[in-house]
Amino acid sequence: MNRIELLAPAGSPEGVRAAVQSGAGAVYMGFGTFNARRGAKGFSQDEMAQAIAYCRARGVKTNITLNILAGDRELDAALQDARFLYEAGADALIVQDLGLARLIHAYAPDFALHASTQMTVHTLDGAREARDIGFSRVVLSRECTRDEVRLITEQAGVETEVFVHGALCMCYSGQCYLSAVIGQRSGNRGLCAQPCRLPYGGGYPLSLKDLALAGHVAELAEMGVSSLKIEGRMKRPEYTAIVTGIYAGLLRERRGPTPEERDILRRVFSRDGFTDGYYTGKKGDGMFGTKTDVPLQEVQALYDEAARRFAEGKEAPLVPVSLCFTARADTGAVLSADGVSAAAPAERAVNRPTTPEMVEKSLRKTGGTPFYVKNLRIELEDGLAVPASVMNGMRRDALALLLAKRGTPPARDWLEGPLLRRDEECAAREGFRGFTASVRTREQAEALRGLGLETVYAPVGVAAETGLPAVLPRVFSDAEQPELEMLLGEAMSRGTRTVLVGNIGQVALARRMGFAIHGDFGLNAYNSKTLHALAEMGVTRQTLSFEARLAQARDMKGPLETELIVYGYLPLMIFENCAIRRQHGGRCACREGTTYLTDRRKARFALLPEYGCRNTLLNSRPLYLRAAYECLGVQTARLLFTTEPPEECARIARAFLDGTPLDGDFTNGLYKRGVE
């Protein structure tokens, strides 16, 4: 039977106890400022070291989140956090930033790295690419279906981790920029303000119910998934205890939840119930809901019972121990417990000698410790007396020594990173070379012909007709990939030599087919080390993150060309669930003009149809950066055309090429104000 771990959240030391005492096989926690729940209570350095030791002693693994993007000037601090966690004995780091992962791997090559769900790994190619660049596990996108989970788990050659309970984002994790652009609180930086939970047009078209795969635990175990993950580091420890306890039972017994267990899960937290829509492929209106407020008196008893389970000093029997007790007149009594021992005198009995039954009764009293006696061997010389109080003291001493031994971190060496010195020797890039454009239609591309743009990128379907550099859909599934490979083949036959990709899985696809690879914004290039990582993967030009300030963009140095988006309606979210259909009462309306979402401030956000009946949400105002482009440190600047008519695309392109200003209601985006 496949050994599968249950991974529970902990946002505080109390949360760690709640998870461990409720049956978690692993706990994930955030530390410092480089984790995606920066608003959680968090841990001091001493508390984190104690939490890791607490878990280690009880046979529970610790996965620590360093899962946000870090700027160049933050990498040293992030690396110091990683070193502290490494030396404290953490089992793995959950990482989003490709550059940070590359650094950690250089200094601590044996430190397990898990590819965060923020890396948007949702295909077999993506999982294999993550494996090849040093990740031992991938946390799959929540949007993956059971067939996709099975395929990746069986064929990728890397551990898989699947979310089974908790909040669902409307957007693919790692691809959401809405909170950043409208409020400077970036999800990629751990401070998402959850604007998808707000009303738009009087309703809540972006608020999904919480995920619950309680009925699919046995199936996931059968597939060979390595870890089942419960979301919720921001929630109270009682929530962790209750949900972990239920899922631990389901996993242990390989069964589905009872009606009572489903009701308990609903009462402790839900949004109009739960959904398994992505996993089962049943997308639609049934997946949406808002937070359900349950009166405190309905859940107080559940909270109180859960709190008793993880109260200070409470211990579940989690760790098997083998004991060996020997007593001889010449050597005294010795109790050995898995490599540690305690001793005491043994005397000739005056009245009643100690019997093996008396020894066993004393030694099996492990309550108040995390141990239970699995094997017990007793060698007792006849006629000796060892008082019960003495044997109890030996047991306490031996188990205390064993607990301390188990909690001690392993000896680990933090290496010097020769890789980092090589990075400094990378060739200098040439200066600013000109403007590029990306379009959505053949008509837009035709309007830009002959204007003098350095490159015009077109969707792969248009590239298959024209031979222009191709843009792959930011998201597509393994089932959809053969069609896209066919289109890429047709594009190559017409002269296409370059592909613009937005996901590490697409890097692998383009490399395999022999294209020159340009990286799009979806790869979240936020520091120089990420540029080096992408160059090693085969990328020759990379679009820098539009969440970076201009000063940060200038800081980014690497062995490849860089590009900055300087015009366009920025793509803020990408949905697996079709919001256009939802806005039109379930009817497909992609060809009926542009659909908009209107927020509380009357700003209108366009919804664009994407490959596979997905959607992109655009910003309400276009970005316009008028600058001395030759001073930005990039080789090209891109005009991102989406909803503009062909003649408008041409007018805007001419203005940039001629250096004449544009009139209109524009935004500088985040280039000057940055994100938190």
Side-chain angles (χ1 to χ4, degrees):
M1 184 179 292
N2 174 52
R3 181 171 175 79
I4 182 172
E5 75 177 21
L6 179 63
L7 178 59
S12 64
E14 296 82 6
V16 174
R17 291 202 307 273
V20 171
Q21 297 304 320
S22 300
V27 176
Y28 68 102
M29 304 171 273
F31 177 70
T33 59
F34 299 100
N35 77 92
R37 291 292 183 271
R38 288 164 64 191
K41 178 183 176 182
F43 297 80
S44 68
Q45 198 169 84
D46 286 345
E47 287 172 337
M48 178 55 71
Q50 291 167 11
I52 292 171
Y54 176 90
C55 292
R56 176 176 287 276
R58 289 155 182 81
V60 174
K61 292 186 175 181
T62 49
N63 302 340
I64 316 300
T65 58
L66 260 67
N67 58 340
I68 70 169
L69 303 180
D72 278 286
R73 300 179 189 185
E74 298 172 316
L75 286 173
D76 283 345
L79 204 57
Q80 287 305 308
D81 283 354
R83 180 172 185 170
F84 162 72
L85 294 165
Y86 181 65
E87 293 174 347
D91 290 287
L93 296 181
I94 304 170
V95 182
Q96 174 189 10
D97 192 300
L98 290 171
L100 179 58
R102 182 172 177 271
L103 276 176
I104 295 167
H105 196 65
Y107 283 104
D110 61 339
F111 203 175
L113 299 182
H114 296 175
S116 168
T117 190
Q118 294 286 114
M119 281 180 60
T120 328
V121 176
H122 58 282
T123 63
L124 183 59
D125 273 339
R128 286 174 171 169
E129 189 72 8
R131 175 202 65 193
D132 291 347
I133 60 177
F135 289 95
S136 61
R137 176 183 294 180
V138 293
V139 186
L140 296 178
S141 294
R142 292 168 174 87
E143 290 82 357
C144 287
T145 66
R146 58 156 56 91
D147 290 341
E148 291 160 356
V149 172
R150 185 184 297 276
L151 175 71
I152 296 168
T153 300
E154 291 179 351
Q155 298 189 27
V158 66
E159 291 184 358
T160 55
E161 182 172 298
V162 174
F163 279 93
V164 293
H165 198 90
L168 280 177
C169 298
M170 182 65 173
C171 179
Y172 273 82
S173 292
Q175 301 301 308
C176 182
Y177 310 97
L178 178 60
S179 178
V181 167
I182 67 175
Q184 294 180 261
R185 293 185 56 181
S186 169
N188 283 318
R189 297 273 292 162
L191 286 174
C192 179
Q194 298 190 325
C196 56
R197 303 296 181 191
L198 297 176
Y200 294 85
Y204 293 86
L206 305 182
S207 181
L208 291 169
K209 293 178 179 178
D210 273 22
L211 170 70
L213 297 186
H216 305 283
V217 165
E219 180 179 48
L220 288 162
E222 176 271 328
M223 288 180 190
V225 169
S226 296
S227 180
L228 305 184
K229 188 170 193 172
I230 298 167
E231 183 275 338
R233 283 192 288 134
M234 296 288 284
K235 293 187 175 71
R236 57 194 295 173
E238 290 87 350
Y239 169 90
T240 296
I242 293 166
V243 177
T244 301
I246 289 175
Y247 274 86
L250 302 181
L251 189 57
R252 184 173 56 250
E253 299 166 23
R254 295 296 201 268
R255 63 173 176 84
T258 65
E260 180 184 10
E261 287 169 331
R262 288 187 184 276
D263 183 60
I264 290 172
L265 292 172
R266 178 193 62 79
R267 282 190 286 153
V268 295
F269 192 91
S270 78
R271 290 181 171 90
D272 294 337
F274 297 103
T275 181
D276 61 4
Y278 287 136
Y279 182 77
T280 59
K282 298 176 182 176
K283 297 177 289 187
D285 287 351
M287 290 187 66
F288 292 82
T290 55
K291 182 180 177 182
T292 303
D293 291 319
V294 177
L296 182 60
Q297 59 267 27
E298 287 191 28
V299 292
Q300 189 64 56
L302 290 172
Y303 287 161
D304 291 345
E305 179 187 357
R308 284 192 291 272
R309 185 160 69 238
F310 66 85
E312 193 81 50
K314 289 283 187 179
E315 289 282 3
L318 301 172
V319 182
V321 62
S322 295
L323 301 179
C324 178
F325 178 86
T326 61
R328 299 186 182 90
D330 56 343
T331 59
V334 178
L335 175 63
S336 298
D338 290 344
V340 300
S341 60
E347 302 176 350
R348 288 293 175 185
V350 176
N351 295 311
R352 185 182 178 192
T354 298
T355 66
E357 291 76 16
M358 295 165 64
V359 175
E360 181 168 1
K361 181 179 180 182
S362 288
L363 297 187
R364 287 195 180 275
K365 294 178 180 178
T366 58
T369 79
F371 299 105
Y372 66 91
V373 178
K374 183 178 182 181
N375 299 298
L376 176 59
R377 185 161 62 91
I378 299 172
E379 298 178 5
L380 178 63
E381 186 178 312
D382 292 340
L384 295 182
V386 184
S389 60
V390 171
M391 290 188 289
N392 290 339
M394 294 172 70
R395 183 199 69 238
R396 286 192 296 269
D397 291 347
L399 294 184
L401 287 170
L402 181 58
L403 190 65
K405 177 184 175 183
R406 288 176 58 88
T408 301
R412 288 170 160 176
D413 292 325
W414 187 259
L415 307 177
E416 289 302 318
L419 167 78
L420 311 183
R421 290 190 290 273
R422 288 204 312 272
D423 288 353
E424 301 304 322
E425 299 168 2
C426 68
R429 297 167 298 172
E430 60 184 284
F432 183 71
R433 193 166 60 247
F435 295 93
T436 70
S438 56
V439 300
R440 290 180 58 87
T441 70
R442 183 167 183 168
E443 291 75 19
Q444 289 174 324
E446 291 291 340
L448 298 176
R449 184 190 297 273
L451 295 184
L453 294 169
E454 196 262 2
T455 304
V456 176
Y457 302 99
V460 63
V462 176
E465 300 172 353
T466 63
L468 287 169
V471 182
L472 281 172
R474 191 153 38 127
V475 171
F476 57 82
S477 68
D478 282 295
E480 294 164 336
Q481 185 164 315
E483 179 182 29
L484 293 168
E485 289 185 14
M486 180 188 69
L487 290 171
L488 283 172
E490 293 177 5
M492 180 174 278
S493 70
R494 292 183 179 273
T496 298
R497 295 293 178 265
T498 302
V499 176
L500 184 64
V501 305
N503 183 272
I504 62 169
Q506 298 174 16
V507 173
L509 170 61
R511 189 176 61 230
R512 189 166 61 242
M513 294 188 71
F515 288 99
I517 306 168
H518 292 182
D520 209 350
F521 64 89
L523 288 167
N524 289 320
Y526 200 72
N527 60 59
S528 299
K529 300 306 178 187
T530 294
L531 298 183
H532 284 273
L534 290 167
E536 290 172 353
M537 293 161 65
V539 177
T540 58
R541 176 187 295 175
Q542 178 58 45
T543 305
L544 303 181
S545 169
F546 54 72
E547 292 190 295
R549 292 184 180 88
L550 291 179
Q552 290 175 274
R554 284 191 291 267
D555 281 347
M556 292 190 220
K557 309 294 182 186
L560 42 59
E561 297 177 356
T562 55
E563 179 166 283
L564 201 65
I565 296 174
V566 297
Y567 169 84
Y569 290 92
L570 293 176
L572 304 184
M573 304 178 88
I574 183 164
F575 311 144
E576 183 67 27
N577 224 315
C578 183
I580 296 175
R581 187 184 296 270
R582 183 165 162 77
Q583 288 297 98
H584 290 269
R587 177 174 54 82
C588 182
C590 292
R591 300 182 184 278
E592 298 179 13
T594 304
T595 299
Y596 291 88
L597 293 182
T598 305
D599 72 5
R600 296 172 300 169
R601 298 183 176 89
K602 306 304 180 185
R604 298 172 77 229
F605 300 83
L607 285 167
L608 296 187
E610 298 288 2
Y611 183 79
C613 200
R614 300 176 182 91
N615 306 155
T616 289
L617 182 75
L618 299 182
N619 196 17
S620 58
R621 291 189 296 158
L623 168 75
Y624 173 41
L625 181 65
R626 191 179 183 203
Y629 300 105
E630 63 277 2
C631 298
L632 296 181
V634 297
Q635 282 64 65
T636 52
R638 193 186 338 157
L639 315 178
L640 182 70
F641 293 120
T642 50
T643 57
E644 296 88 348
E647 61 275 11
E648 180 70 0
C649 295
R651 184 185 72 84
I652 292 168
R654 288 192 189 96
F656 275 92
L657 290 164
D658 296 341
T660 57
L662 291 172
D663 295 325
D665 183 19
F666 298 112
T667 174
N668 287 318
L670 297 164
Y671 290 141
K672 297 185 179 179
R673 53 195 176 114
V675 293
E676 294 182 31

